Amino acid sequence: MIRKFFTRRPLLLAGLVLGLLASAFLMATRRGAPPDAPGTPGRHGSREGRAMPAPEATGVRLVLIGLDGADWEILDPLMRQGRLPNLARLVAAGTRADLRSYDPMISPLLWTTMVTGVGPDVHGVADFQAIDEATGRRIPITSRFRKVKALWNILGDAGLDSAFVAWWASYPAEKVRGYQVSNLVAFETVRPKPPGAPPPSGITYPPAYFAEISPRLISAADLTYEEVRGILRIDRGEFEKARREVLEPAAADADEEGRNRKTAQLPVPLALSILTGSRNYATIGADLARRRLPLTAVYFEGIDMMGHRFQHCMPPRMAICPGADFARYKDAVTAFYARQDALIGEILEAAGPDATVMVVSDHGFRTGAARPRDRLPFTTQQPVEWHREEGILALAGPGARPSSKLATRTTLFDVAPTILYLLGMPVSREMTGHVLLEAIDPAFVRSHPVRTVASYESLGAPREVAVADGPAADEAGEELLESLRALGYIGNDDANSTAGQDGGAAPASGAGTQVFYHRNLATYFLKRKDYSRAAEQLLLANERQKLPKNYQMLSEAYLGMGQTDEAIAALEEGFRATGGMDPEAVLWLVQVRLSGAGGGDAARVEASRHASRTATRPGLDDAIAGLILEERGDAPAAARRYRRSLEADPLRVVVAQRLFALLGPESGGALLEPALRRALAKDPRIDEYHSMLGAILARRGKTGEALEEFQEAARLDPDNPRFAANLASMLARLERWNDAATAFERAISLAPSASLSLQAGSVFRRLGRPERALGEFERARALGDAGVAPILGAALARSEMRQIPEALALVREGLARHPDDRSLRSLYEDLQRRAGP
């Protein structure tokens, strides 16, 4: 929605305390070449591979377990209750951390990042689906879209075997050194196959492995009522009916009632499919773990899928969960976590006690009071609204630091470098993340320094694009897409777009991109303030299908580049070309008009032109009128309109910002706090509201509560320099000097300023680190602070370092500029006494 844009824009709030930055800050954008066509070699690749560096012997044999959607906020209570014994042992023995995700929080992008170390703009997997250009049908996105080497390619080139099970976008399975079981295996096995039926081509590598493992896999027909009853409180009749619907979908869809049941996304058949696939993943993972390869990796999607179908029915009951559903499904999520833990136990037992184990998730899942109140977790195109930015990471076993919790920021990009390091391989300098040395045993780190290479794309064998040499896995692919539809990740086919209209974006494999492929990339770029590349992707998205959100995001990209006219034109074209533009977009359009050449006159024209549209949204006309009145200088009337708008909809962030700026922290805070709290009760992820609420609470002396709000704002948007500055200043106010020092370093790295360096210098002096303090005071001077404070601070730091002559020279310089300053005069006299005759 358009209001999401407003939660991300820089804000000028007069009189805010605690180091709010004085002006809005836009990071410099970079213009880069558009991403390579899907399926082509990476930008940095070469067809002539050079020798791969030899792996160093580290003694680590790694088991990597991926749990899509797993969240510490659910895991921790269950571990305390003793319901997750296997995960609890790993966590107790090793290192744990929050694993930060990125937007858009969509599984194929995130899991591919974890095995490549780069983002979707580089690795090329940016959607759930692609278009088969030969038929026009939707197909799951395939391994052919990946443009760089993954861990299995890198390790194989180095002579190390690996096994990967069910990783996203791994069909068709690639030729690897070891094993690859594609992400379609679970969907291929959900129903029994006729005797002698050949498996689809590309389902595993080597191809014979599927025939080898198949006799040990189950279908939904093998599930028992007892094991399902442990998760869903249903009777035997409902179980039997749901199992028939899974095993005989054609019969279930034969009449209108059956089609309606499918459209309604009935939960029990979906749960049966999830249970079947999870058991098969564990069976395959345990079989491969017994082979003691250097790396065995198994991905499980069940926690995420169960969350999207049942998280709204977890206690405490939400209004969007009917009473009957709550009775049947309230324990579904937690019971499945327990089932998942048992499956992990099977893999760990097979791997043996000498294996190092890493458990990761791509994102978390909102639970408790943080759950969205107004949308189901399987609402079409909106399931990511239920995702939480923090996933999990646990590392235990040989090479891991025992019994610790990482305080440093850890992201998905750090997974691949850390795995390579543990297995004795250099880390590519093209990878965005770093080795999580804080999670590694210090003795291991001393024995194995981190090595790097420039890139793996030109080392070893060139990556081959996988192909299916026989019958395609069409049925399994459609089963996967059907599960994604049931969870709201994708829409129905009648909402699909066309492909291949960009003059070459479709790969040679015959699969083309759709609108959401490019919009996902645009979201990724917008989050990183790479506005020019975001605009490029949004233009490609519009070539496939003109959608309202495309135009809204395109306007944001143009505005980020300072191209106001283009931002206006994008919105106006959106209104002309689509019938579904959000009325809130008019508020944005008016705001942009006010900043342009036409000013208030142009804004009033836009407001009049769209009056019939804005009248459908309560309080929207008041917000627009407030902007226009404020531009005319009538602040009291503008404030009254802003208050009325927020009473109708407290989620209008720009209105709250303007009202706070007009009224100031005292009266503005008193008026705004109830609206901010109402909005955060509806959507706790509005980072600007947490920041504003923190400022209000700090002004009232509620420093503990203020700190919590500043921490949440910085957690939600860790790259926002204002949020980082607010947090650092509050920590200093609370005299938490070590935490403040870390926070100031983060804030300065995001947006250096004289004010931040001055505050940081004072904190480092408090910590007895005069050398570090001196550096910050000197930085403050270099950034333009010609006042007394940085000179005084630098002189004190040099004095503490016993550099008395240098300190005296600084004070003399300061007195020459500020001869009446008492602090400098007092320090000068003290330094002269210390210097002696």
Side-chain angles (χ1 to χ4, degrees), residues 67 70-98 334 337-338 340-341 344 359 392-394 404-405:
L67 303 177
D71 194 306
W72 289 122
E73 291 189 352
I74 301 177
L75 285 165
D76 282 333
L78 293 174
M79 287 191 291
R80 287 193 294 268
Q81 296 165 20
R83 298 180 64 185
L84 309 178
N86 296 296
L87 283 168
R89 279 194 296 272
L90 291 175
V91 171
T95 295
R96 63 177 280 171
D98 292 333
T334 53
Y337 265 89
Q340 181 68 76
D341 183 80
I344 291 172
V359 182
I392 71 166
L393 181 141
S404 64
K405 182 175 182 179

Side-chain angles (χ1 to χ4, degrees), residues 634-806:
D634 193 346
R640 287 193 295 271
R641 288 298 193 109
Y642 289 150
R643 289 179 62 183
R644 286 168 54 181
S645 178
L646 285 178
E647 287 171 3
D649 186 353
L651 295 175
R652 291 194 177 99
V653 179
V654 68
V655 177
Q657 292 172 333
R658 296 312 315 149
L659 183 59
F660 197 90
L662 283 177
L663 300 181
E666 291 292 347
S667 58
L671 288 171
L672 268 175
E673 184 176 352
L676 297 179
R677 292 194 183 278
R678 279 196 297 129
L680 290 172
K682 291 183 177 181
D683 185 352
R685 292 188 294 174
I686 305 177
D687 45 27
E688 289 284 2
Y689 278 11
H690 286 289
S691 181
M692 293 168 68
L693 187 55
I696 292 168
L697 293 167
R699 184 78 177 190
R700 290 165 49 189
K702 296 187 175 183
T703 53
E705 295 178 41
L707 176 62
E708 292 178 0
E709 297 298 335
F710 287 139
Q711 287 173 326
E712 184 64 9
R715 185 191 69 80
L716 289 167
D717 190 355
D719 296 324
N720 187 303
R722 290 183 299 106
F723 299 164
N726 292 345
L727 177 58
S729 296
M730 177 52 75
L731 287 166
R733 177 173 169 176
L734 292 170
E735 300 185 0
R736 291 174 51 175
W737 303 119
N738 284 307
D739 293 337
T742 301
F744 273 117
E745 287 177 329
R746 173 67 179 163
I748 291 168
S749 73
L750 293 171
S753 75
S755 173
L756 286 174
S757 286
L758 188 61
Q759 295 178 74
S762 298
V763 169
F764 285 119
R765 279 197 63 228
R766 292 271 189 173
L767 289 169
R769 299 171 60 186
E771 297 90 349
R772 186 73 176 83
L774 177 62
E776 290 302 334
F777 289 131
E778 290 180 341
R779 192 206 306 256
R781 297 184 70 196
L783 290 171
D785 190 335
V788 171
I791 296 175
L792 183 64
L796 286 167
R798 286 196 179 276
S799 171
E800 290 158 1
M801 296 163 63
R802 300 184 180 181
Q803 298 176 1
I804 304 302
E806 293 85 350

Side-chain angles (χ1 to χ4, degrees), residues 425-672:
M425 293 294 297
V427 176
S428 167
R429 293 193 291 276
E430 290 184 327
M431 292 181 175
T432 305
H434 67 284
V435 178
L436 294 173
L437 294 176
E438 304 90 340
I440 311 298
D441 189 323
F444 186 98
V445 174
R446 288 192 296 271
S447 300
H448 305 286
V450 175
R451 298 185 296 157
T452 64
V453 294
S455 171
Y456 277 113
E457 298 309 308
S458 58
L459 299 178
R463 190 178 76 84
E464 297 182 24
V465 176
V467 296
D469 297 323
D474 291 339
E475 183 179 343
E478 182 52 39
E479 194 74 30
L480 169 58
L481 294 183
E482 187 60 40
S483 71
L484 293 173
R485 292 185 193 105
L487 299 175
Y489 277 119
I490 63 175
N492 294 320
D493 285 344
D494 57 6
N496 291 343
S497 59
T498 56
Q501 300 178 29
D502 61 343
S509 62
T513 56
Q514 61 159 354
V515 59
F516 299 109
Y517 180 96
H518 299 283
R519 202 163 78 189
N520 290 338
L521 285 175
T523 299
Y524 182 81
F525 290 133
L526 282 175
K527 184 67 175 178
R528 283 154 180 74
K529 297 180 173 61
D530 193 344
Y531 298 113
S532 61
R533 296 178 75 187
E536 291 169 356
Q537 292 300 318
L538 290 163
L539 292 172
L540 290 173
N542 269 340
E543 289 181 9
R544 284 149 178 76
Q545 187 176 7
K546 298 182 187 300
L547 296 176
K549 189 172 181 179
N550 297 353
Y551 289 102
Q552 293 163 194
M553 293 172 65
L554 183 59
S555 180
E556 179 180 351
Y558 284 136
L559 201 60
M561 291 187 283
Q563 299 177 10
T564 304
D565 291 342
E566 288 82 355
I568 292 169
L571 286 176
E572 290 181 337
E573 183 181 343
F575 283 115
R576 289 194 304 269
T578 71
M581 287 287 282
D582 192 324
E584 298 285 338
V586 181
L587 176 62
W588 185 2
L589 181 56
V590 168
Q591 189 181 15
V592 177
R593 282 290 192 189
L594 286 169
S595 66
D601 291 338
R604 283 186 285 275
V605 169
E606 293 292 358
S608 176
R609 179 187 304 169
H610 297 287
S612 61
R613 179 178 280 109
T614 58
T616 64
R617 192 65 58 85
L620 183 53
D621 285 332
D622 288 312
I624 292 169
L627 290 175
I628 294 172
L629 286 165
E630 186 180 357
E631 189 271 342
R632 285 166 47 183
D634 193 346
R640 287 193 295 271
R641 288 298 193 109
Y642 289 150
R643 289 179 62 183
R644 286 168 54 181
S645 178
L646 285 178
E647 287 171 3
D649 186 353
L651 295 175
R652 291 194 177 99
V653 179
V654 68
V655 177
Q657 292 172 333
R658 296 312 315 149
L659 183 59
F660 197 90
L662 283 177
L663 300 181
E666 291 292 347
S667 58
L671 288 171
L672 268 175

